[in-house]
């Protein structure tokens, strides 16, 4: 399909929908024809998104369509489209409309707009979620291929869950926010709603990269980070229930975890408390003043079309001082340096339900701020940590609005998307093919102090086994970290080892970290196979303590307390 055909078909479909609250403005032929003609006149390899149409949240500038942030009195005509729109158009996707939203991107409910509340396409009795409500609904109803949203506290993920589509929130700073009306500018993200994870992944190279219009946009690493694909942090079911998750949400999450375990994924329960404490800083303290900085002129002018809840939330920022703001910054730094600093070390992902429950419009009307805060319980911390996130429905476990979100460290966006796709379709990410198997017996065992040296090089833990019955184990002097020496001896016994798999280049890099008298050589395993593993020079036993009788390093460490 040509760009012109796709754009005109989308505009025609938009004109026929039975919900006037999804879109705020729609392009006409005079606007889209030159864009589409430019796309259709270029070779296909230059416009990989030709035939795709885009709807942009109404705080994202599109030349020819007013930007209002769902507040008509704050409307303006942009002289230039947002950077993300320019990049999508350059790749062949044509913007056709601006979508409804929670006013000034303040809310996770989708009900705070003078244009009304878009109907939830999954269940009309539920809210659509916000603040990017219209963009999520437009994709869910098949009216556009790509919905552009923004995400500060979860606005690119909560509507995705409630509407049953994919919501991708990139690493903070990866996609420029030039031409986007800010909410909390230092942590705002452009977000994307798509029908599939693959469609979202295709956008990453197109929309990423620094921009002279956005001083907060950054280039990121020159090469993709190394990751561990088969380890995932998860929440206990009790934690979820205590955090307000509905019974149905907890049960569906448990079903997802069960099949991940059966697929071979290593799941480690983590404490969500530090994440919740970080999330609470976004709206529960002085950081809300940054929202006031974004829209203070309009509030001061007393626009009569301000949503009262939005005015209350943003206006509350005025009660904080600069001293309060600095103290909140210090507190955030302290919390970041705690458990979250290692929770996703070496590319490990975190899996949580995207939302704790699905409220109705009546629920929101009865407690607009309380319900909004509850909806963001599993989302608000991500941007303050710089993480990326992908929200996906898992339809074969439970129908939408249930879904899960995969969180990953900064710049691991592609990895997060790969893991999300695997989770959505019932499996775990595959281990890398080929490479070298490496047996370790001490500080590089999974969970031990030096395991991160392998994880950082993309090593994948394959499991725990034991050597052939011909080894002795010694504890070397020195440390921390304390290290053992594995010595081949026909009079020895079997010693517990972990087996990792990593590629040749990573193994070469790892080898440079190994100090004498340790070395890499051939280790015989109990099943009769042979693999690369830690061995020791004969001098390693001088001054060392024999610990063979423990049968392995973990037992020795446990005994030492």
């Amino acid at each position: 399909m040509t760009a012109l055909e796709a754009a005109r078909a989308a505009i025609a479909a938009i004109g026929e929908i039975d919900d006037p609250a999804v879109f705020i403005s729609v392009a006409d032929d005079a606007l889209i024809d030159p864009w589409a003609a430019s796309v259709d006149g270029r070779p296909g390899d230059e416009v990989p998104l030709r035939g795709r149409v885009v709807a942009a949240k109404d705080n994202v500038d599109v030349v020819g369509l007013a930007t209002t942030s769902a507040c008509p009195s704050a409307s303006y005509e942009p002289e230039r489209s947002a950077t993300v729109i320019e990049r999508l158009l350059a790749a062949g996707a044509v913007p056709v409309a601006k979508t409804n939203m929670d006013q000034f991107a303040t809310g996770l409910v989708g009900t705070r707009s003078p244009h009304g509340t878009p109907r939830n396409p999954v269940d009309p009795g539920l809210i659509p979620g916000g603040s990017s409500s219209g963009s999520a609904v437009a994709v869910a109803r098949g009216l556009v291929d790509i919905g552009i949203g923004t995400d500060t506290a979860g606005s690119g993920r909560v509507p995705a869950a409630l509407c049953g589509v994919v919501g991708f929130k990139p690493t903070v700073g990866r996609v420029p926010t030039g031409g986007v009306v800010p909410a909390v500018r230092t942590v705002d993200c452009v977000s994307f709603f798509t029908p599939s994870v693959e469609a979202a992944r295709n956008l990453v190279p197109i929309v990423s990269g620094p921009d002279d219009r956005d001083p907060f946009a950054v280039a990121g690493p020159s090469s993709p980070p190394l990751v561990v694909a088969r380890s995932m942090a998860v929440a206990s079911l009790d934690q979820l229930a205590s955090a307000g998750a509905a019974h149905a949400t907890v049960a569906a999450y448990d079903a997802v975890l069960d099949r991940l375990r059966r697929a071979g994924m290593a799941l480690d329960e983590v404490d969500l408390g530090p994440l919740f404490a970080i999330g609470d800083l976004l709206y529960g303290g002085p950081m809300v003043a940054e929202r006031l900085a974004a829209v203070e002129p309009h509030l001061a002018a007393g626009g009569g079309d301000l949503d009262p809840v939005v005015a209350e939330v943003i206006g509350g920022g005025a009660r904080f001082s600069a001293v309060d703001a600095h103290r909140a910054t210090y507190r955030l730094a302290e919390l970041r340096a705690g458990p979250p600093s290692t929770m996703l070390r070496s590319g490990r992902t975190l899996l949580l339900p995207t939302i704790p429950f699905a409220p109705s419009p009546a629920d929101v009307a009865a407690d607009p701020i309380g319900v909004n805060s509850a909806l963001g319980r599993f989302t608000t911390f991500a941007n303050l940590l710089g993480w990326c996130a992908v929200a996906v429905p898992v339809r074969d476990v439970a129908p939408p609005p249930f879904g899960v979100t995969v969180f990953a460290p900064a710049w691991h966006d592609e990895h997060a998307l790969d893991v999300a796709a695997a989770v959505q379709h019932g499996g775990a990410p595959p281990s890398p093919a080929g490479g070298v198997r490496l047996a370790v017996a001490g500080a590089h065992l999974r969970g031990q102090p030096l395991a991160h040296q392998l994880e950082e090089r993309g090593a994948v833990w394959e499991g725990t086994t034991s050597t052939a019955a011909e080894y002795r184990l010694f504890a070397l002097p020195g440390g921390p970290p304390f290290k053992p020496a594995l010595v081949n001896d026909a009079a020895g016994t079997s010693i517990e080892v972990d087996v990792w798999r990593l590629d040749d280049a990573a193994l070469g890099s790892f080898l440079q970290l190994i100090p004498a008298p340790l070395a890499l050589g051939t280790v015989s395993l109990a099943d009769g196979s042979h693999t690369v593993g830690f061995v020791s020079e004969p001098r390693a036993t001088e001054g060392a303590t024999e610990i063979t009788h423990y049968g392995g390093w973990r037992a020795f460490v446990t005994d030492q307390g």
Side-chain angles (χ1 to χ4, degrees), residues 289-559:
E290 195 171 351
R291 282 192 177 270
L292 181 60
V295 299
E296 186 177 30
H298 187 74
L299 290 177
D305 51 1
L306 277 173
D307 181 273
V309 177
V310 171
E312 178 184 351
V313 171
I314 297 178
R319 70 181 185 272
F320 297 106
S321 68
V323 173
D324 295 328
H326 283 300
R327 287 173 176 159
T329 299
Y330 304 153
R331 178 58 177 156
L332 176 58
E334 293 170 356
L335 290 167
R336 281 173 171 164
S341 67
T342 58
M343 188 177 293
L344 302 189
R345 185 175 61 190
S346 309
R348 184 170 71 163
T349 56
L350 167 68
L351 184 75
L352 295 176
T354 304
I355 55 174
F357 57 87
S360 68
D363 295 328
V364 175
D367 184 10
I369 292 179
V371 170
N372 189 92
S373 297
L375 277 178
R377 200 58 176 150
F378 303 138
T379 62
T380 51
F381 52 81
N383 285 12
L384 291 174
L385 287 164
W387 291 354
C388 55
V390 185
V392 292
V394 190
R395 298 177 187 275
D396 56 341
V397 169
F402 173 74
V404 296
T405 295
V406 173
F407 299 87
W411 307 107
H412 289 71
D413 305 62
E414 291 89 345
H415 177 51
L417 287 158
D418 289 344
V419 173
V423 171
Q424 184 180 30
H425 298 300
S431 297
V436 179
R437 298 176 79 225
L438 174 70
V440 301
H444 291 93
L445 292 164
R446 185 166 179 264
Q448 294 298 307
L450 297 184
H452 69 90
Q453 293 180 345
L454 288 166
E455 293 171 344
E456 289 164 357
R457 286 160 175 79
V460 174
W461 178 79
E462 290 197 344
T464 299
T465 184
S466 58
T467 68
E470 53 188 52
Y471 289 90
R472 297 166 67 191
L473 192 66
F474 295 81
L476 299 176
F482 301 102
K483 302 174 184 177
L486 186 68
V487 177
N488 184 266
D489 189 324
T493 187
S494 293
I495 300 297
E496 181 186 72
V497 293
D498 277 0
V499 176
W500 298 78
R501 185 180 292 274
L502 67 169
D503 63 32
D504 294 344
L507 182 64
S509 169
F510 178 67
L511 182 60
Q512 299 178 39
L513 303 177
I514 301 173
L518 303 179
L520 292 184
T522 300
V523 173
S524 300
L525 299 180
D527 62 4
S529 65
H530 305 277
T531 187
V532 175
F534 274 89
V535 295
S536 306
E537 300 175 16
R539 63 190 173 103
T541 60
E542 297 174 6
T545 302
E546 183 164 4
I547 58 171
T548 304
H549 60 285
Y550 283 98
W553 184 251
R554 287 190 179 97
F556 168 70
V557 170
T558 300
D559 186 61

Side-chain angles (χ1 to χ4, degrees), residues 7 9-27 53-59 62 65-66 68-70 72 94-101 110 113-119 128 131-148:
I11 291 173
I14 289 170
E16 295 176 359
I17 64 169
D18 56 356
D19 185 352
V22 178
F23 299 95
I24 290 178
S25 58
V26 181
V53 292
V54 179
K57 185 175 180 178
D58 200 35
N59 61 341
V62 176
L65 297 174
T68 76
S69 299
V94 177
V96 296
K98 303 290 291 295
T99 57
N100 201 0
M101 57 184 283
S113 170
H115 302 283
T117 300
R119 283 199 296 275
S131 59
S132 310
S133 54
S135 291
V137 172
V139 171
R141 295 191 62 168
L143 299 168
V144 297
D145 303 293
I146 303 164
I148 303 299

Side-chain angles (χ1 to χ4, degrees), residues 28-57:
D28 58 21
D29 290 350
L31 185 58
I32 67 164
D33 283 4
W35 290 338
S38 174
V39 171
D40 289 332
R42 295 164 60 194
D45 60 348
E46 293 182 5
V47 282
L49 298 181
R50 180 160 56 201
R52 304 289 187 269
V53 292
V54 179
K57 185 175 180 178

